Amino acid sequence: MLPATTTKSEGIASDTLARMSPATNPQLPPLRVDDPKVMRALAHPARLAIMARLAEVGPGTATECAAATGLSPSATSWHLRALAESGLIEEAEHPDKRKHLWRARSSQLVVANSRSDGGAASRELLRQYLSRGDRQLEEWLSVEGEQPEEWREALSILNAKVEVRPEELDELLVQVKALFQAYGDRARVGGEAGRRPVTISLRAIPEVLPEADIEPRS
């Protein structure tokens, strides 16, 4: 999961594009991102992987983060510095002064629509984030046959359609987020035999209506 994205609650609203995941470390406050330059800096698979690793596991070096990116430590270091220059992460103290330790500034990013560029940067960031989730599914499917039967049967994909007003959608997503957070809090207490991390993705996507059905703004 990433420090990155929902809305006021956890979905899509007019002011906020997304909070890419519920907070993985409640001690870190949410970080609002509304600068298209910062969004473009984040919209990269390796950088999203770094952000997720730092938010979920904690501070790490370029070598440690390279395991998440699949890149060399030197290439990962370049991405770490780009994230730091954008204000998304920061350097932390390391016992070995020769090494650089990096930490997330937040475990949850609130990404606003990038109005100055017509929303292009925020849309690209959202596409990259969703692509990350799709790659996780492909990774599972590639090894599914080797997994225990109970976990193969546990895989679930749910699609549902509801008719709601924007404020009702916010309320629904707040409730879902609270449920996710409860299980996240349990995970932070410590591991337990038989458990493994599971990524649950929620996409609340308004349907595109025919122009005649769109209510005029008051």
Side-chain angles (χ1 to χ4, degrees), residues 21 54 85 97 113 186:
S21 63
L54 295 179
E85 289 172 3
K97 299 299 182 181
N113 280 306
R186 186 176 70 174

Side-chain angles (χ1 to χ4, degrees), residues 20-134:
M20 293 178 184
S21 63
T24 52
N25 184 347
Q27 295 179 337
L28 295 175
L31 180 64
R32 182 178 175 84
V33 176
D34 53 17
D35 185 341
K37 291 182 180 179
V38 176
M39 294 179 196
R40 286 192 287 270
L42 181 57
H44 186 286
R47 295 175 188 178
L48 289 172
I50 289 170
M51 294 293 290
R53 193 275 177 204
L54 295 179
E56 294 172 8
V57 180
T61 63
T63 299
E64 291 167 337
C65 291
T69 64
L71 302 175
S72 68
S74 60
T76 301
S77 179
W78 184 79
H79 287 296
L80 282 162
R81 293 185 183 282
L83 289 169
E85 289 172 3
S86 298
L88 296 169
I89 66 173
E90 60 190 7
E91 200 161 356
E93 288 289 332
H94 195 289
D96 185 344
K97 299 299 182 181
R98 297 169 299 176
K99 296 183 178 180
H100 294 281
L101 188 67
W102 301 94
R103 65 186 174 199
R105 290 188 58 207
S106 174
S107 67
Q108 186 178 61
L109 300 185
V110 180
V111 182
N113 280 306
S114 52
R115 301 184 187 279
S116 63
D117 66 349
S122 50
R123 286 194 295 271
E124 179 57 25
L125 176 54
L126 182 57
R127 289 190 182 98
Q128 287 292 335
Y129 183 78
L130 295 178
S131 294
R132 173 177 164 79
D134 292 339

Side-chain angles (χ1 to χ4, degrees), residues 127-144:
R127 289 190 182 98
Q128 287 292 335
Y129 183 78
L130 295 178
S131 294
R132 173 177 164 79
D134 292 339
R135 287 193 296 273
Q136 288 178 311
L137 175 58
E138 289 298 328
E139 181 181 13
W140 167 263
L141 293 176
S142 69
V143 298
E144 184 182 36

